[in-house]
Amino acid sequence: MIKQNYYQDLSKMNTFRMKVKARCFVEYDSVADLVELDFEELPKPVMHLGGGSNLLFTDDFRGTVLHSRIRFIEELGEGRVSVGAGVIFDDFCDWAASRGFWGVENLSHIPGEVGASVVQNIGAYGVEVGDVVETVYCYDMQEEEFVHFSAEECRFGYRMSFFKQPEVKGRYIVTHVVYRLSTESCPHLEYGHLKAALPQGEVLTPALIRKTIIEIRKQKLPEPSETGSAGSFFKNPVVTSAQFAEICKAAQIENGPDYAVPHYVLEDGRVKVPAAWMIEQCGWKGRRSGGAAVYAKQPLVLVNYTGEAEPEEIIGLMKRIIASVEKKFGTVLSPEVEII
């Protein structure tokens, strides 16, 4: 079934709670509905919206917003699972963990839907969704046909995929994703303090790791239902070893010569530095700017502090943070959030 409305309020469909409208809003239940849609007749541009958890609207959307209600989870055997694009991603994580499947437990409690998760290549605690994707099935709006892409063809990278490349952005609508999970124990505990946070003496299961990660995330991050945000606003910068040495020098000026900068060395020798640490070192943690603020428990998160923040206040705060981090560490932060 297709539902089509005009001047649809999107304030409850974006986790930043920006009070914006879409000129046209189309919600569909099946792949057959996509065939029936006349994309040429829809107001342009056409944009697909998942859970609205990784974007910042700066104004009313003058085109068409599409939203999927394709919601199913189907076991295909040997750990392969097909999941509809409209499924809440955390519901899928819960489903997998409850059945003893390994692979997505570290991604628990990340807001958003399955379709958007592969476009963004969401990640947390050393795991990215691209690690367990086998095939992504899509509808090509340009050629008006169904297509599919292997994980290799998706070209997954850090918060990046083929679907975000400028030449194809917005062309493909994800309809469902096939994941390859595992029934054999394969926990990923190396990132952050996850291993230390796990209960000692208990048998590791996907459900136990999922429960622990949810507890950690709830302690560090605001609940979208309570405080408007888009989760992690900035990407963790990846720098060369020489750039990292300069960051260390800058940090040791204020923190002493023995100060150790938190970091994670990648396989190619480059270094990932926590953006949250950089932002906190620049004194932004907990600071307000009009209706916007840096979250007091996690400086990587910008929040709609008053519930009435204007987009310009969020953007202004973002620019000031980027400028101060660049001045102090010589590193330019990039937003993870898509600004529309």
Side-chain angles (χ1 to χ4, degrees), residues 55-73:
L55 51 81
L56 172 63
F57 282 107
T58 59
D59 202 348
D60 289 343
F61 192 73
R62 293 172 173 80
T64 300
V65 169
L66 302 175
H67 183 248
S68 172
R69 289 182 59 86
I70 301 176
R71 295 172 179 167
F72 68 86
I73 301 177

mmCIF file with all atom_site columns, all heavy atoms in Angstrom, residues 55-73:
data_model
loop_
_atom_site.group_PDB
_atom_site.id
_atom_site.type_symbol
_atom_site.label_atom_id
_atom_site.label_alt_id
_atom_site.label_comp_id
_atom_site.label_asym_id
_atom_site.label_entity_id
_atom_site.label_seq_id
_atom_site.pdbx_PDB_ins_code
_atom_site.Cartn_x
_atom_site.Cartn_y
_atom_site.Cartn_z
_atom_site.occupancy
_atom_site.B_iso_or_equiv
_atom_site.pdbx_formal_charge
_atom_site.auth_seq_id
_atom_site.auth_comp_id
_atom_site.auth_asym_id
_atom_site.auth_atom_id
_atom_site.pdbx_PDB_model_num
ATOM 1   N N   . LEU A 1 55 ? 20.907 12.765  10.338 1.00 0.00 ? 55 LEU A N   1
ATOM 2   C CA  . LEU A 1 55 ? 20.818 13.930  9.470  1.00 0.00 ? 55 LEU A CA  1
ATOM 3   C C   . LEU A 1 55 ? 20.320 15.138  10.256 1.00 0.00 ? 55 LEU A C   1
ATOM 4   O O   . LEU A 1 55 ? 19.759 15.023  11.336 1.00 0.00 ? 55 LEU A O   1
ATOM 5   C CB  . LEU A 1 55 ? 19.908 13.645  8.274  1.00 0.00 ? 55 LEU A CB  1
ATOM 6   C CG  . LEU A 1 55 ? 18.498 13.075  8.518  1.00 0.00 ? 55 LEU A CG  1
ATOM 7   C CD1 . LEU A 1 55 ? 17.534 14.171  8.909  1.00 0.00 ? 55 LEU A CD1 1
ATOM 8   C CD2 . LEU A 1 55 ? 17.996 12.376  7.268  1.00 0.00 ? 55 LEU A CD2 1
ATOM 9   N N   . LEU A 1 56 ? 20.581 16.290  9.647  1.00 0.00 ? 56 LEU A N   1
ATOM 10  C CA  . LEU A 1 56 ? 20.132 17.558  10.213 1.00 0.00 ? 56 LEU A CA  1
ATOM 11  C C   . LEU A 1 56 ? 19.430 18.339  9.116  1.00 0.00 ? 56 LEU A C   1
ATOM 12  O O   . LEU A 1 56 ? 20.048 18.764  8.145  1.00 0.00 ? 56 LEU A O   1
ATOM 13  C CB  . LEU A 1 56 ? 21.319 18.363  10.754 1.00 0.00 ? 56 LEU A CB  1
ATOM 14  C CG  . LEU A 1 56 ? 21.013 19.803  11.198 1.00 0.00 ? 56 LEU A CG  1
ATOM 15  C CD1 . LEU A 1 56 ? 20.031 19.813  12.361 1.00 0.00 ? 56 LEU A CD1 1
ATOM 16  C CD2 . LEU A 1 56 ? 22.294 20.532  11.558 1.00 0.00 ? 56 LEU A CD2 1
ATOM 17  N N   . PHE A 1 57 ? 18.115 18.490  9.244  1.00 0.00 ? 57 PHE A N   1
ATOM 18  C CA  . PHE A 1 57 ? 17.374 19.331  8.314  1.00 0.00 ? 57 PHE A CA  1
ATOM 19  C C   . PHE A 1 57 ? 17.631 20.787  8.664  1.00 0.00 ? 57 PHE A C   1
ATOM 20  O O   . PHE A 1 57 ? 17.527 21.190  9.833  1.00 0.00 ? 57 PHE A O   1
ATOM 21  C CB  . PHE A 1 57 ? 15.870 19.055  8.412  1.00 0.00 ? 57 PHE A CB  1
ATOM 22  C CG  . PHE A 1 57 ? 15.417 17.810  7.708  1.00 0.00 ? 57 PHE A CG  1
ATOM 23  C CD1 . PHE A 1 57 ? 15.043 16.683  8.426  1.00 0.00 ? 57 PHE A CD1 1
ATOM 24  C CD2 . PHE A 1 57 ? 15.339 17.772  6.319  1.00 0.00 ? 57 PHE A CD2 1
ATOM 25  C CE1 . PHE A 1 57 ? 14.615 15.537  7.779  1.00 0.00 ? 57 PHE A CE1 1
ATOM 26  C CE2 . PHE A 1 57 ? 14.916 16.630  5.665  1.00 0.00 ? 57 PHE A CE2 1
ATOM 27  C CZ  . PHE A 1 57 ? 14.553 15.508  6.395  1.00 0.00 ? 57 PHE A CZ  1
ATOM 28  N N   . THR A 1 58 ? 17.939 21.596  7.651  1.00 0.00 ? 58 THR A N   1
ATOM 29  C CA  . THR A 1 58 ? 18.154 23.023  7.883  1.00 0.00 ? 58 THR A CA  1
ATOM 30  C C   . THR A 1 58 ? 16.970 23.864  7.418  1.00 0.00 ? 58 THR A C   1
ATOM 31  O O   . THR A 1 58 ? 16.941 25.069  7.647  1.00 0.00 ? 58 THR A O   1
ATOM 32  C CB  . THR A 1 58 ? 19.422 23.506  7.148  1.00 0.00 ? 58 THR A CB  1
ATOM 33  O OG1 . THR A 1 58 ? 19.287 23.251  5.749  1.00 0.00 ? 58 THR A OG1 1
ATOM 34  C CG2 . THR A 1 58 ? 20.652 22.783  7.688  1.00 0.00 ? 58 THR A CG2 1
ATOM 35  N N   . ASP A 1 59 ? 15.978 23.216  6.759  1.00 0.00 ? 59 ASP A N   1
ATOM 36  C CA  . ASP A 1 59 ? 14.812 23.934  6.258  1.00 0.00 ? 59 ASP A CA  1
ATOM 37  C C   . ASP A 1 59 ? 13.773 22.911  5.833  1.00 0.00 ? 59 ASP A C   1
ATOM 38  O O   . ASP A 1 59 ? 14.047 21.707  5.834  1.00 0.00 ? 59 ASP A O   1
ATOM 39  C CB  . ASP A 1 59 ? 15.212 24.817  5.065  1.00 0.00 ? 59 ASP A CB  1
ATOM 40  C CG  . ASP A 1 59 ? 14.227 25.970  4.831  1.00 0.00 ? 59 ASP A CG  1
ATOM 41  O OD1 . ASP A 1 59 ? 13.135 25.945  5.440  1.00 0.00 ? 59 ASP A OD1 1
ATOM 42  O OD2 . ASP A 1 59 ? 14.559 26.867  4.038  1.00 0.00 ? 59 ASP A OD2 1
ATOM 43  N N   . ASP A 1 60 ? 12.585 23.387  5.450  1.00 0.00 ? 60 ASP A N   1
ATOM 44  C CA  . ASP A 1 60 ? 11.588 22.492  4.879  1.00 0.00 ? 60 ASP A CA  1
ATOM 45  C C   . ASP A 1 60 ? 12.163 21.832  3.628  1.00 0.00 ? 60 ASP A C   1
ATOM 46  O O   . ASP A 1 60 ? 12.938 22.447  2.882  1.00 0.00 ? 60 ASP A O   1
ATOM 47  C CB  . ASP A 1 60 ? 10.323 23.258  4.498  1.00 0.00 ? 60 ASP A CB  1
ATOM 48  C CG  . ASP A 1 60 ? 9.532  23.714  5.715  1.00 0.00 ? 60 ASP A CG  1
ATOM 49  O OD1 . ASP A 1 60 ? 9.768  23.182  6.812  1.00 0.00 ? 60 ASP A OD1 1
ATOM 50  O OD2 . ASP A 1 60 ? 8.681  24.621  5.563  1.00 0.00 ? 60 ASP A OD2 1
ATOM 51  N N   . PHE A 1 61 ? 11.779 20.571  3.389  1.00 0.00 ? 61 PHE A N   1
ATOM 52  C CA  . PHE A 1 61 ? 12.255 19.859  2.212  1.00 0.00 ? 61 PHE A CA  1
ATOM 53  C C   . PHE A 1 61 ? 11.283 20.109  1.070  1.00 0.00 ? 61 PHE A C   1
ATOM 54  O O   . PHE A 1 61 ? 10.093 19.763  1.168  1.00 0.00 ? 61 PHE A O   1
ATOM 55  C CB  . PHE A 1 61 ? 12.381 18.363  2.498  1.00 0.00 ? 61 PHE A CB  1
ATOM 56  C CG  . PHE A 1 61 ? 13.136 17.612  1.447  1.00 0.00 ? 61 PHE A CG  1
ATOM 57  C CD1 . PHE A 1 61 ? 14.511 17.739  1.342  1.00 0.00 ? 61 PHE A CD1 1
ATOM 58  C CD2 . PHE A 1 61 ? 12.464 16.796  0.553  1.00 0.00 ? 61 PHE A CD2 1
ATOM 59  C CE1 . PHE A 1 61 ? 15.216 17.049  0.357  1.00 0.00 ? 61 PHE A CE1 1
ATOM 60  C CE2 . PHE A 1 61 ? 13.161 16.105  -0.438 1.00 0.00 ? 61 PHE A CE2 1
ATOM 61  C CZ  . PHE A 1 61 ? 14.542 16.236  -0.535 1.00 0.00 ? 61 PHE A CZ  1
ATOM 62  N N   . ARG A 1 62 ? 11.755 20.696  -0.009 1.00 0.00 ? 62 ARG A N   1
ATOM 63  C CA  . ARG A 1 62 ? 10.884 21.150  -1.082 1.00 0.00 ? 62 ARG A CA  1
ATOM 64  C C   . ARG A 1 62 ? 10.548 20.073  -2.102 1.00 0.00 ? 62 ARG A C   1
ATOM 65  O O   . ARG A 1 62 ? 9.813  20.338  -3.069 1.00 0.00 ? 62 ARG A O   1
ATOM 66  C CB  . ARG A 1 62 ? 11.518 22.362  -1.782 1.00 0.00 ? 62 ARG A CB  1
ATOM 67  C CG  . ARG A 1 62 ? 11.581 23.581  -0.875 1.00 0.00 ? 62 ARG A CG  1
ATOM 68  C CD  . ARG A 1 62 ? 12.384 24.717  -1.486 1.00 0.00 ? 62 ARG A CD  1
ATOM 69  N NE  . ARG A 1 62 ? 12.290 25.918  -0.689 1.00 0.00 ? 62 ARG A NE  1
ATOM 70  C CZ  . ARG A 1 62 ? 12.988 26.152  0.419  1.00 0.00 ? 62 ARG A CZ  1
ATOM 71  N NH1 . ARG A 1 62 ? 13.839 25.236  0.861  1.00 0.00 ? 62 ARG A NH1 1
ATOM 72  N NH2 . ARG A 1 62 ? 12.841 27.285  1.085  1.00 0.00 ? 62 ARG A NH2 1
ATOM 73  N N   . GLY A 1 63 ? 11.083 18.875  -1.905 1.00 0.00 ? 63 GLY A N   1
ATOM 74  C CA  . GLY A 1 63 ? 10.785 17.782  -2.820 1.00 0.00 ? 63 GLY A CA  1
ATOM 75  C C   . GLY A 1 63 ? 9.949  16.699  -2.162 1.00 0.00 ? 63 GLY A C   1
ATOM 76  O O   . GLY A 1 63 ? 9.037  16.974  -1.391 1.00 0.00 ? 63 GLY A O   1
ATOM 77  N N   . THR A 1 64 ? 10.314 15.435  -2.470 1.00 0.00 ? 64 THR A N   1
ATOM 78  C CA  . THR A 1 64 ? 9.575  14.272  -1.973 1.00 0.00 ? 64 THR A CA  1
ATOM 79  C C   . THR A 1 64 ? 10.450 13.453  -1.039 1.00 0.00 ? 64 THR A C   1
ATOM 80  O O   . THR A 1 64 ? 11.596 13.143  -1.364 1.00 0.00 ? 64 THR A O   1
ATOM 81  C CB  . THR A 1 64 ? 9.121  13.385  -3.150 1.00 0.00 ? 64 THR A CB  1
ATOM 82  O OG1 . THR A 1 64 ? 8.284  14.145  -4.019 1.00 0.00 ? 64 THR A OG1 1
ATOM 83  C CG2 . THR A 1 64 ? 8.348  12.171  -2.639 1.00 0.00 ? 64 THR A CG2 1
ATOM 84  N N   . VAL A 1 65 ? 9.890  13.101  0.095  1.00 0.00 ? 65 VAL A N   1
ATOM 85  C CA  . VAL A 1 65 ? 10.557 12.206  1.043  1.00 0.00 ? 65 VAL A CA  1
ATOM 86  C C   . VAL A 1 65 ? 9.882  10.838  0.956  1.00 0.00 ? 65 VAL A C   1
ATOM 87  O O   . VAL A 1 65 ? 8.662  10.734  1.092  1.00 0.00 ? 65 VAL A O   1
ATOM 88  C CB  . VAL A 1 65 ? 10.481 12.754  2.479  1.00 0.00 ? 65 VAL A CB  1
ATOM 89  C CG1 . VAL A 1 65 ? 10.940 11.685  3.480  1.00 0.00 ? 65 VAL A CG1 1
ATOM 90  C CG2 . VAL A 1 65 ? 11.329 14.007  2.628  1.00 0.00 ? 65 VAL A CG2 1
ATOM 91  N N   . LEU A 1 66 ? 10.678 9.809   0.701  1.00 0.00 ? 66 LEU A N   1
ATOM 92  C CA  . LEU A 1 66 ? 10.181 8.434   0.673  1.00 0.00 ? 66 LEU A CA  1
ATOM 93  C C   . LEU A 1 66 ? 10.532 7.726   1.967  1.00 0.00 ? 66 LEU A C   1
ATOM 94  O O   . LEU A 1 66 ? 11.591 7.966   2.552  1.00 0.00 ? 66 LEU A O   1
ATOM 95  C CB  . LEU A 1 66 ? 10.813 7.664   -0.493 1.00 0.00 ? 66 LEU A CB  1
ATOM 96  C CG  . LEU A 1 66 ? 10.623 8.201   -1.912 1.00 0.00 ? 66 LEU A CG  1
ATOM 97  C CD1 . LEU A 1 66 ? 11.436 7.364   -2.888 1.00 0.00 ? 66 LEU A CD1 1
ATOM 98  C CD2 . LEU A 1 66 ? 9.157  8.179   -2.295 1.00 0.00 ? 66 LEU A CD2 1
ATOM 99  N N   . HIS A 1 67 ? 9.647  6.835   2.403  1.00 0.00 ? 67 HIS A N   1
ATOM 100 C CA  . HIS A 1 67 ? 9.929  6.044   3.607  1.00 0.00 ? 67 HIS A CA  1
ATOM 101 C C   . HIS A 1 67 ? 9.418  4.624   3.426  1.00 0.00 ? 67 HIS A C   1
ATOM 102 O O   . HIS A 1 67 ? 8.285  4.399   2.990  1.00 0.00 ? 67 HIS A O   1
ATOM 103 C CB  . HIS A 1 67 ? 9.271  6.666   4.838  1.00 0.00 ? 67 HIS A CB  1
ATOM 104 C CG  . HIS A 1 67 ? 9.595  5.924   6.097  1.00 0.00 ? 67 HIS A CG  1
ATOM 105 N ND1 . HIS A 1 67 ? 8.659  5.202   6.806  1.00 0.00 ? 67 HIS A ND1 1
ATOM 106 C CD2 . HIS A 1 67 ? 10.778 5.759   6.762  1.00 0.00 ? 67 HIS A CD2 1
ATOM 107 C CE1 . HIS A 1 67 ? 9.235  4.642   7.853  1.00 0.00 ? 67 HIS A CE1 1
ATOM 108 N NE2 . HIS A 1 67 ? 10.511 4.960   7.854  1.00 0.00 ? 67 HIS A NE2 1
ATOM 109 N N   . SER A 1 68 ? 10.281 3.666   3.768  1.00 0.00 ? 68 SER A N   1
ATOM 110 C CA  . SER A 1 68 ? 9.957  2.249   3.597  1.00 0.00 ? 68 SER A CA  1
ATOM 111 C C   . SER A 1 68 ? 9.298  1.654   4.839  1.00 0.00 ? 68 SER A C   1
ATOM 112 O O   . SER A 1 68 ? 9.713  1.917   5.963  1.00 0.00 ? 68 SER A O   1
ATOM 113 C CB  . SER A 1 68 ? 11.236 1.460   3.290  1.00 0.00 ? 68 SER A CB  1
ATOM 114 O OG  . SER A 1 68 ? 10.977 0.058   3.298  1.00 0.00 ? 68 SER A OG  1
ATOM 115 N N   . ARG A 1 69 ? 8.286  0.829   4.565  1.00 0.00 ? 69 ARG A N   1
ATOM 116 C CA  . ARG A 1 69 ? 7.700  -0.010  5.614  1.00 0.00 ? 69 ARG A CA  1
ATOM 117 C C   . ARG A 1 69 ? 7.832  -1.490  5.228  1.00 0.00 ? 69 ARG A C   1
ATOM 118 O O   . ARG A 1 69 ? 7.002  -2.317  5.603  1.00 0.00 ? 69 ARG A O   1
ATOM 119 C CB  . ARG A 1 69 ? 6.231  0.356   5.837  1.00 0.00 ? 69 ARG A CB  1
ATOM 120 C CG  . ARG A 1 69 ? 6.048  1.710   6.510  1.00 0.00 ? 69 ARG A CG  1
ATOM 121 C CD  . ARG A 1 69 ? 4.573  2.016   6.747  1.00 0.00 ? 69 ARG A CD  1
ATOM 122 N NE  . ARG A 1 69 ? 3.926  1.018   7.570  1.00 0.00 ? 69 ARG A NE  1
ATOM 123 C CZ  . ARG A 1 69 ? 3.911  1.025   8.901  1.00 0.00 ? 69 ARG A CZ  1
ATOM 124 N NH1 . ARG A 1 69 ? 4.536  1.984   9.555  1.00 0.00 ? 69 ARG A NH1 1
ATOM 125 N NH2 . ARG A 1 69 ? 3.286  0.077   9.574  1.00 0.00 ? 69 ARG A NH2 1
ATOM 126 N N   . ILE A 1 70 ? 8.906  -1.791  4.479  1.00 0.00 ? 70 ILE A N   1
ATOM 127 C CA  . ILE A 1 70 ? 9.192  -3.195  4.145  1.00 0.00 ? 70 ILE A CA  1
ATOM 128 C C   . ILE A 1 70 ? 9.845  -3.815  5.370  1.00 0.00 ? 70 ILE A C   1
ATOM 129 O O   . ILE A 1 70 ? 11.014 -3.577  5.651  1.00 0.00 ? 70 ILE A O   1
ATOM 130 C CB  . ILE A 1 70 ? 10.118 -3.297  2.916  1.00 0.00 ? 70 ILE A CB  1
ATOM 131 C CG1 . ILE A 1 70 ? 9.469  -2.632  1.707  1.00 0.00 ? 70 ILE A CG1 1
ATOM 132 C CG2 . ILE A 1 70 ? 10.444 -4.764  2.618  1.00 0.00 ? 70 ILE A CG2 1
ATOM 133 C CD1 . ILE A 1 70 ? 10.354 -2.603  0.469  1.00 0.00 ? 70 ILE A CD1 1
ATOM 134 N N   . ARG A 1 71 ? 9.085  -4.596  6.102  1.00 0.00 ? 71 ARG A N   1
ATOM 135 C CA  . ARG A 1 71 ? 9.542  -5.080  7.398  1.00 0.00 ? 71 ARG A CA  1
ATOM 136 C C   . ARG A 1 71 ? 9.372  -6.597  7.509  1.00 0.00 ? 71 ARG A C   1
ATOM 137 O O   . ARG A 1 71 ? 8.269  -7.106  7.705  1.00 0.00 ? 71 ARG A O   1
ATOM 138 C CB  . ARG A 1 71 ? 8.778  -4.373  8.520  1.00 0.00 ? 71 ARG A CB  1
ATOM 139 C CG  . ARG A 1 71 ? 9.080  -2.880  8.568  1.00 0.00 ? 71 ARG A CG  1
ATOM 140 C CD  . ARG A 1 71 ? 8.195  -2.137  9.527  1.00 0.00 ? 71 ARG A CD  1
ATOM 141 N NE  . ARG A 1 71 ? 8.530  -0.710  9.556  1.00 0.00 ? 71 ARG A NE  1
ATOM 142 C CZ  . ARG A 1 71 ? 7.776  0.229   10.107 1.00 0.00 ? 71 ARG A CZ  1
ATOM 143 N NH1 . ARG A 1 71 ? 6.627  -0.099  10.684 1.00 0.00 ? 71 ARG A NH1 1
ATOM 144 N NH2 . ARG A 1 71 ? 8.153  1.494   10.070 1.00 0.00 ? 71 ARG A NH2 1
ATOM 145 N N   . PHE A 1 72 ? 10.477 -7.294  7.374  1.00 0.00 ? 72 PHE A N   1
ATOM 146 C CA  . PHE A 1 72 ? 10.477 -8.746  7.568  1.00 0.00 ? 72 PHE A CA  1
ATOM 147 C C   . PHE A 1 72 ? 11.882 -9.176  7.949  1.00 0.00 ? 72 PHE A C   1
ATOM 148 O O   . PHE A 1 72 ? 12.870 -8.501  7.633  1.00 0.00 ? 72 PHE A O   1
ATOM 149 C CB  . PHE A 1 72 ? 10.022 -9.473  6.293  1.00 0.00 ? 72 PHE A CB  1
ATOM 150 C CG  . PHE A 1 72 ? 10.993 -9.356  5.141  1.00 0.00 ? 72 PHE A CG  1
ATOM 151 C CD1 . PHE A 1 72 ? 12.063 -10.239 5.000  1.00 0.00 ? 72 PHE A CD1 1
ATOM 152 C CD2 . PHE A 1 72 ? 10.849 -8.343  4.202  1.00 0.00 ? 72 PHE A CD2 1
ATOM 153 C CE1 . PHE A 1 72 ? 12.960 -10.125 3.952  1.00 0.00 ? 72 PHE A CE1 1
ATOM 154 C CE2 . PHE A 1 72 ? 11.748 -8.219  3.143  1.00 0.00 ? 72 PHE A CE2 1
ATOM 155 C CZ  . PHE A 1 72 ? 12.803 -9.108  3.026  1.00 0.00 ? 72 PHE A CZ  1
ATOM 156 N N   . ILE A 1 73 ? 11.983 -10.301 8.647  1.00 0.00 ? 73 ILE A N   1
ATOM 157 C CA  . ILE A 1 73 ? 13.256 -10.948 8.942  1.00 0.00 ? 73 ILE A CA  1
ATOM 158 C C   . ILE A 1 73 ? 13.078 -12.423 8.614  1.00 0.00 ? 73 ILE A C   1
ATOM 159 O O   . ILE A 1 73 ? 12.200 -13.086 9.169  1.00 0.00 ? 73 ILE A O   1
ATOM 160 C CB  . ILE A 1 73 ? 13.672 -10.780 10.419 1.00 0.00 ? 73 ILE A CB  1
ATOM 161 C CG1 . ILE A 1 73 ? 13.788 -9.298  10.791 1.00 0.00 ? 73 ILE A CG1 1
ATOM 162 C CG2 . ILE A 1 73 ? 14.995 -11.498 10.686 1.00 0.00 ? 73 ILE A CG2 1
ATOM 163 C CD1 . ILE A 1 73 ? 14.124 -9.065  12.257 1.00 0.00 ? 73 ILE A CD1 1
#
